[in-house]
Amino acid sequence: MLTKRIIPCLDVRDRKVTKGVRFQNNIDLGDPIEMAVSYSDGGCDELVFYDITASAEGRGIDIDMVRDVAKAVHIPFAVGGGIKNIEDMRQVLLAGAEKVSVNSLAVSNPNIIAEGARLFGSQCIVLGMDPVKADDKQKFPSGYEITTQGFRTRTGMDALEWARRAEGLGVGEIVVNSVDTDGTQRGFEINLTRMIAENVGIPVVASGGGGTCGHLIDVFNDGKADAAIIASMIHTGRFTIKQIKDELVAAGIAIRKKW
Amino acid sequence: MITIIDYKAGNLTSVKLAFESIGLKVKITDRADEILYAEKIVFPGVGAAKSAMENLKSLNILDAIKKVIADGVPFFGICIGMQLLFESSEENGGTECTGILPGGVKKFKTSDKFCKIPQMGWNTVKIIKSHPIFDGIQDNSEFYFVHSFYPSCSEKKYIIGQTEYADTVFSSVAGKGNLIATQFHPERSGRIGLKLLENFSRWNGK
């Protein structure tokens, strides 16, 4: 049986893993390579790295870091943040990443998805989206609006419409990162996750708000997520991946047990 | 020395890094003469069947591949590299493949809206027939899969492992003599995947 994936997210700034709440008050947590090895050895199913300042500072991705991660761990990992064009995608994939994640770039230039999928395969191209609750039901039938640039910019785009369009353009997977729950550790946005999962044929990864094993159980059972991204709950040392997986197995969720 | 065939079907970095991490030397080639002299061959790949077959033909390496397989050189197909070993694939409106293994490659079909295609993630492999590449690896271990089409081996004696997805039990591992092939990606399957690659590197093909 295909298992649900647990994906630690490493926000990287100046080659250090950092964590904030809604992109603010960040504190440094450690070395990205050491943390990647530790989580991989601990049984995580995949990893994602976001270069959180590359976009804002107009820098390219830290390719040396991607290469070092690829040498150190042999599970799939995605890289996002700071991808500006097809050439950046190619560099990241050739350095050994399994997937590249595009977010703001895809909103401003949706064609990058189609082009990336054509050149590298859909399975390599992940759409990251940051939807926020929106009351105007006429403008936003799904009830969520897409934001970009680390939640700073509202796009006027409906979340579900964007997810479907991106699927049509060829993304292989969608990470739904709820702006309203990001960093809160109060639980994933279940309705949002389920709505997207119900309406696209590709895997959906829930992100934003995971704080307890119960939150993960809910987002898999009720949110119908194929995978979940976690950060604070493991970065703080409150849980190990093993503890999380044991609880999920006990709750009857299909989880990878041997590593 | 592990020789990896580069036929422009996806990125070979992770396969190369996985072998290097277990201390093996790796050569990447798209030349028939280098394939013919290889000690052990890995035939990886992601992407679509049709363009992959076209690349094999335009690089003029298909005959070399068939010859080394016939000559008993240990040969390992991964993902598309497994699928191309069968007779045909439903991909791209039907693609004729190499026919080295009996059977075809079919598209996953499901009416369950939550069963996503491609299958992307870790799934279990049930060992049907013992094989040296599974030495020291427990039955029903999980490996990393990414695919929309699945191999269906038509002769049971060549099925080494099976996996279930979208209400279908498919041949996730097939083997015939010195030829072994997996639909999953051992190079992305963590410590257990590396163990499988190490087993392949020690295998004499018998």
Side-chain angles (χ1 to χ4, degrees):
Chain A
M1 193 174 196
L2 182 66
T3 58
K4 302 288 188 183
R5 287 170 280 152
I6 304 289
I7 310 177
C9 171
L10 306 180
D11 288 342
V12 183
R13 181 174 63 180
D14 301 330
R15 257 218 178 203
K16 290 194 187 74
V17 178
T18 171
K19 183 65 200 161
V21 176
R22 304 179 104 231
F23 286 108
Q24 288 175 3
N25 304 320
N26 286 65
I27 50 161
D28 286 341
L29 297 167
D31 175 69
I33 314 301
E34 282 172 24
M35 288 179 73
V37 169
S38 153
Y39 289 145
S40 173
D41 288 350
C44 78
D45 303 307
E46 199 169 317
L47 288 159
V48 58
F49 295 83
Y50 290 114
D51 191 334
I52 60 166
T53 48
S55 274
E57 294 170 5
R59 284 188 292 106
I61 294 247
D62 182 350
I63 292 292
D64 287 340
M65 187 198 82
V66 179
R67 211 170 277 134
D68 289 347
V69 173
K71 278 186 194 154
V73 302
H74 300 283
I75 59 170
F77 70 96
V79 174
I83 304 234
K84 293 186 296 299
N85 49 44
I86 287 290
E87 193 45 38
D88 287 349
M89 284 185 180
R90 188 192 313 275
Q91 290 303 325
V92 166
L93 295 170
L94 282 177
E98 171 85 1
K99 305 171 183 177
V100 286
S101 179
V102 287
N103 187 323
S104 307
L105 174 68
V107 170
S108 59
N109 175 19
N111 193 44
I112 196 91
I113 295 173
E115 186 67 2
R118 187 181 68 78
L119 286 168
F120 313 119
S122 284
Q123 82 290 339
C124 294
I125 313 296
V126 180
L127 176 74
M129 57 158 68
D130 297 334
V132 67
K133 273 188 186 146
D135 293 330
D136 187 342
K137 276 278 175 189
Q138 280 208 301
K139 264 178 93 178
F140 307 106
S142 71
Y144 296 88
E145 178 181 1
I146 296 293
T147 69
T148 57
Q149 308 297 339
F151 315 160
R152 288 186 291 270
T153 308
R154 290 199 168 227
T155 62
M157 290 159 64
D158 179 73
L160 182 54
E161 206 174 291
W162 176 225
R164 284 182 167 143
R165 186 168 162 217
E167 181 185 21
L169 287 166
V171 295
E173 183 166 71
I174 298 180
V175 175
V176 181
N177 182 46
S178 163
V179 172
D180 301 294
T181 58
D182 181 78
T184 63
Q185 298 192 67
R186 289 190 194 139
F188 294 92
E189 180 88 86
I190 302 293
N191 292 336
L192 169 69
T193 309
R194 186 182 172 106
M195 176 178 59
I196 305 287
E198 240 170 2
N199 285 288
V200 297
I202 52 178
V204 166
V205 183
S207 170
T212 66
C213 297
H215 295 154
L216 287 163
I217 293 166
D218 291 345
V219 85
F220 290 137
N221 280 340
D222 304 331
K224 299 292 179 184
D226 298 288
I229 285 178
I230 51 173
S232 309
M233 64 187 288
I234 49 169
H235 293 337
T236 55
R238 253 184 326 115
F239 293 93
T240 63
I241 307 271
K242 170 103 173 61
Q243 283 170 329
I244 292 169
K245 287 194 151 183
D246 286 347
E247 289 238 11
L248 294 183
V249 169
I253 311 254
I255 287 289
R256 177 169 73 118
K257 300 185 201 72
K258 303 186 197 88
W259 56 83
Chain B
M1 169 82 81
I2 303 287
T3 299
I4 300 176
I5 302 180
D6 179 10
Y7 56 108
K8 318 302 166 206
N11 175 358
L12 307 177
T13 310
S14 58
V15 182
K16 176 173 180 281
L17 291 176
F19 277 109
E20 286 176 350
S21 79
I22 50 176
L24 290 155
K25 285 209 161 56
V26 170
K27 180 187 191 79
I28 294 178
T29 186
D30 60 1
R31 286 171 43 183
D33 58 336
E34 292 185 335
I35 292 169
L36 289 171
Y37 288 104
E39 296 163 47
K40 292 197 164 72
I41 297 176
V42 177
F43 185 51
V46 292
K50 189 169 180 206
S51 62
M53 276 309 293
E54 283 167 1
N55 292 347
L56 288 180
K57 286 174 191 157
S58 66
L59 287 164
N60 276 317
I61 53 176
L62 195 45
D63 289 342
I65 288 171
K66 287 182 175 165
K67 179 155 192 333
V68 290
I69 292 173
D71 285 352
V73 179
F75 189 99
F76 191 169
I78 298 174
C79 195
I80 275 284
M82 173 185 198
Q83 295 186 0
L84 295 180
L85 299 172
F86 287 90
E87 291 160 26
S88 64
S89 170
E90 288 180 3
E91 197 170 10
N92 309 118
T95 302
E96 194 187 329
C97 299
T98 62
I100 295 164
L101 284 171
V105 176
K106 298 175 179 168
K107 174 115 171 102
F108 280 125
K109 287 188 189 78
T110 173
S111 52
D112 177 356
K113 65 184 171 185
F114 294 117
C115 178
K116 302 306 174 81
I117 295 172
Q119 160 163 245
M120 188 187 281
W122 300 77
N123 201 339
T124 47
V125 173
K126 181 163 179 50
I127 301 172
I128 300 299
K129 202 172 152 188
S130 70
H131 192 283
I133 66 157
F134 280 110
D135 281 354
I137 295 175
Q138 285 179 40
D139 194 12
N140 294 312
S141 288
E142 293 109 344
F143 293 89
Y144 187 75
F145 289 82
V146 184
H147 61 132
S148 302
F149 293 79
Y150 63 90
S152 176
C153 186
S154 58
E155 282 190 49
K156 201 162 177 239
K157 61 183 175 186
Y158 300 136
I159 301 174
I160 307 292
Q162 286 179 331
T163 296
E164 186 174 353
Y165 191 66
D167 303 321
T168 303
V169 176
F170 66 94
S171 327
S172 52
V173 188
K176 181 183 174 187
N178 53 302
L179 170 66
I180 187 78
T182 64
Q183 176 59 57
F184 58 79
H185 291 270
E187 75 280 10
R188 290 285 194 213
S189 297
R191 196 180 49 78
I192 296 173
L194 294 183
K195 173 73 182 157
L196 190 144
L197 294 180
E198 195 186 359
N199 287 342
F200 172 71
S201 75
R202 291 185 178 160
W203 182 45
N204 62 7
K206 287 177 184 142

